[in-house]
Amino acid sequence: DGGITQSPKYLFRKEGQNVTLSCEQNLNHDAMYWYRQDPGQGLRLIYYSQIVNDFQKGDIAEGYSVSREKKESFPLTVTSAQKNPTAFYLCASRELAGVVTGELFFGEGSRLTVL
Amino acid sequence: GQNIDQPTEMTATEGAIVQINCTYQTSGFNGLFWYQQHAGEAPTFLSYNVLDGLEEKGRFSSFLSRSKGYSYLLLKELQMKDSASYLCAVKKDSGAGSYQLTFGKGTKLSVIP
């Protein structure tokens, strides 16, 4: 079945450590996104990419980094520079061309806790 | 910038009808999405409105008034499994097939027997 796979589902990190969250999609979508979700907050955009080897900062990119070496993969690294990294992270993708709504398809999320 | 308002929480009875409102203020509006998100899970697409009026999809309907900056999601014949958060998201085109999507904080719906 086509979909978006995020791993790990749960992750614990010590302060000062970098961690990388994986996101893989087999929907052949052009665009991929990373959002952060905190209690009582809307989803906030961290980074997005519309084509391989290119990506753009979202609203809260500081302390995060991404890469897009393959169309199906868009990993997110939460660096030690991120001041408050504990959150639920959602990866999403969508088709760009020839679509009516262009809705996002989301992965199951990765919950990161900093100890 | 964009400002999106939704009620934080709502409670409704199984079998009843509930309306979740979303108001927004934005320039360059080009559509509004509703997503459903069960706790700890991925948001799933429910509906999309770009023109004024009502879009019906089974038990769920979504309405849009562009002039009023207002949308609602209507859930009929509520079931216990409808207990979830409902996210309103406003779309703003940014050219070349790209768009910006701003999410509201979500409305947590609790369906009680």
Side-chain angles (χ1 to χ4, degrees), chain A residues 57-113:
Chain A
K57 291 182 179 179
D59 300 318
I60 55 165
E62 185 175 350
Y64 299 98
S65 66
V66 294
S67 63
R68 187 89 186 272
E69 297 177 2
K70 299 184 295 183
K71 185 177 183 178
E72 59 270 24
S73 179
F74 192 42
L76 173 74
T77 297
V78 184
T79 75
S80 57
Q82 169 49 235
K83 300 300 182 189
N84 185 21
T86 294
F88 188 51
Y89 291 88
L90 286 161
C91 179
S93 71
R94 73 178 185 101
E95 184 53 74
L96 288 179
V99 293
V100 176
T101 61
E103 73 269 26
L104 292 175
F105 293 79
F106 286 89
E108 293 291 322
S110 293
R111 187 168 297 281
L112 172 63
T113 302

Side-chain angles (χ1 to χ4, degrees), chain A residues 37 40 42 50 94 101-102 104 107, chain B residues 33 35 37 42 97-99 104-105:
Chain A
Q37 188 174 36
Q50 297 192 119
R94 73 178 185 101
T101 61
L104 292 175
Chain B
F33 293 92
Y35 284 85
Q37 185 181 24
S98 177
Y99 65 70
K105 295 181 179 181

Side-chain angles (χ1 to χ4, degrees), chain A:
Chain A
D1 285 355
I4 302 176
T5 302
Q6 290 186 239
S7 64
K9 193 171 178 65
Y10 299 96
L11 184 62
F12 297 89
R13 186 194 95 173
K14 293 182 180 179
E15 283 192 21
Q17 289 182 334
N18 293 354
V19 293
T20 297
L21 307 180
S22 169
C23 179
E24 303 278 332
Q25 55 101 357
N26 60 5
L27 300 167
N28 200 34
H29 284 170
D30 297 306
M32 297 186 73
Y33 304 78
W34 275 104
Y35 286 90
R36 171 180 171 141
Q37 188 174 36
D38 296 281
Q41 298 285 330
L43 273 68
R44 292 182 290 169
L45 182 64
I46 304 172
Y47 268 99
Y48 67 97
S49 168
Q50 297 192 119
I51 194 169
V52 173
N53 292 323
D54 187 57
F55 47 82
Q56 306 295 328
K57 291 182 179 179
D59 300 318
I60 55 165
E62 185 175 350
Y64 299 98
S65 66
V66 294
S67 63
R68 187 89 186 272
E69 297 177 2
K70 299 184 295 183
K71 185 177 183 178
E72 59 270 24
S73 179
F74 192 42
L76 173 74
T77 297
V78 184
T79 75
S80 57
Q82 169 49 235
K83 300 300 182 189
N84 185 21
T86 294
F88 188 51
Y89 291 88
L90 286 161
C91 179
S93 71
R94 73 178 185 101
E95 184 53 74
L96 288 179
V99 293
V100 176
T101 61
E103 73 269 26
L104 292 175
F105 293 79
F106 286 89
E108 293 291 322
S110 293
R111 187 168 297 281
L112 172 63
T113 302
V114 175
L115 304 173

